[in-house]
Amino acid sequence: MEEQECDLGKSCARSEAAAAAQPAGSPGETPTVAAESPELANYSSKCVFCRIAAHQEPGTELLHCENEDLVCFKDIKPAAPHHYLVVPKKHFENCKYLKKDQIELIENMVTAGKAILERNNFTDFENTRMGFHVSPFCSISHLHLHVLAPADQLSFMSRLVYRVNSYWFITADYLIEKLRT
Ligand SMILES: [Zn+2]
Ligand SMILES: [Zn+2]
């Protein structure tokens, strides 16, 4: 019964060291899907939005989305009466990693965002805010477009968090312009 004599303090220190060596995700977690399906080549089981996009988060209700490269769902902390997220199934860390090639993707995300609003009977697009948090101000490291409406009903705090073209939030239009140049 040598295990019972083992010093508890030492074994705690060991497991903490092991945890520190694997900062992302829980130990033993393996992204098996990645190896098996080429269309999910950059799928990461450690990324919550990758899991949502792969229908592996039953707690998140996916909204109808015409574009099969994208998924749409409600933000868990809505900052406006309408607050949706449009997420590409493909994993991009954030808008810093986007190039000219992704302009079409961004445009498609905006189109999908407008379509969700329309389906929810909101058509005043002038009174809509659509944009991205800029690294390191993204809470989730998987590209996502915030779709907020009506923009004039954002709370004081939300006006800050989603402030147009600040250091931490840029609109989709601004991002597209930036990628073009
Ligand atoms: Zn992801
Ligand atoms: Zn965000």
Side-chain angles (χ1 to χ4, degrees):
M1 282 300 182
E2 269 174 50
E3 273 138 306
Q4 283 179 350
E5 285 160 27
C6 156
D7 180 4
L8 222 106
K10 264 189 204 158
S11 71
C12 267
R14 262 201 303 277
S15 54
E16 267 169 36
Q22 283 177 312
S26 52
E29 202 181 334
T30 41
T32 45
V33 184
E36 283 153 23
S37 52
E39 71 271 23
L40 291 171
N42 64 358
Y43 168 87
S44 163
S45 64
K46 292 185 176 121
C47 168
V48 63
F49 284 1
C50 278
R51 291 199 306 270
I52 290 173
H55 300 260
Q56 291 178 344
E57 285 288 321
T60 303
E61 187 200 347
L62 292 180
L63 304 171
H64 178 77
C65 185
E66 291 86 353
N67 190 317
E68 56 182 27
D69 297 327
L70 307 172
V71 290
C72 306
F73 49 94
K74 284 185 179 159
D75 193 294
I76 51 166
K77 282 192 224 147
H82 297 274
H83 188 172
Y84 310 105
L85 297 180
V86 179
V87 175
K89 288 182 181 170
K90 193 173 175 198
H91 182 98
F92 294 93
E93 290 276 308
N94 58 57
C95 35
K96 235 169 57 182
Y97 293 81
L98 300 176
K99 306 236 156 54
K100 265 198 176 75
D101 292 352
Q102 276 87 46
I103 290 176
E104 200 186 334
L105 171 73
I106 306 300
E107 287 172 342
N108 290 342
M109 289 168 83
V110 170
T111 304
K114 286 183 178 167
I116 310 168
L117 288 173
E118 275 177 340
R119 261 195 304 282
N120 288 278
N121 303 313
F122 188 91
T123 50
D124 181 10
F125 297 133
E126 295 293 309
N127 194 11
T128 298
R129 188 156 309 171
M130 291 204 207
F132 301 87
H133 280 116
V134 181
S135 173
F137 303 100
C138 312
S139 53
I140 304 277
S141 294
H142 181 133
L143 186 71
H144 56 280
L145 174 72
H146 284 274
V147 179
L148 297 139
D152 62 10
Q153 283 183 36
L154 290 173
S155 69
F156 177 75
M157 262 314 283
S158 300
R159 270 169 220 267
L160 275 179
V161 174
Y162 301 98
R163 186 157 144 196
V164 169
N165 304 341
S166 53
Y167 282 121
W168 53 90
F169 187 80
I170 56 171
T171 63
D173 290 341
Y174 180 85
L175 177 62
I176 290 168
E177 269 316 298
K178 227 177 72 171
L179 292 173
R180 279 220 175 93
T181 52

